[in-house]
Amino acid sequence: MTLVLSLAMRRGIYGRWIPYLGMATSAADLVGAYPYVIGPVPTLLCHALFTAWFVAVGAVLYKMR
C-alpha cells in the first residue's frame, strides 16, 4: 500500500523526497513484517521510518488549503 501511494505522489505537490521516502518505507514495511526474524532493533527502525513518512506526508497535507 505504501508503495502504491508513493508512486501516486511522484507527480503531485509532495516534492521530490517524500515519494522516495515512501518507497524506502515500503521496503522497510516488507522487512518489518517479520519481526521474529530480524529482531527488535531493526523492527524499531522499520517502525520509525514508517512514522517519519506519515509525519512528512501529514506536514505537507497540513500546509494545503
Side-chain angles (χ1 to χ4, degrees), residues 29-54:
D29 288 345
L30 184 65
V31 172
Y34 302 99
Y36 51 88
V37 175
I38 63 172
V41 174
T43 302
L44 177 66
L45 294 175
C46 292
H47 290 178
L49 187 60
F50 190 69
T51 303
W53 181 72
F54 262 129

Side-chain angles (χ1 to χ4, degrees), residues 3 5 8-13 15-16 18-19 28 32-33 46-47 53 55 58 60 64-65:
L3 180 63
L5 288 173
M9 289 179 184
R10 285 188 320 179
R11 296 194 178 146
I13 62 164
R16 241 183 123 84
I18 291 179
C46 292
H47 290 178
W53 181 72
V55 169
V60 171
M64 288 176 54
R65 287 187 156 230

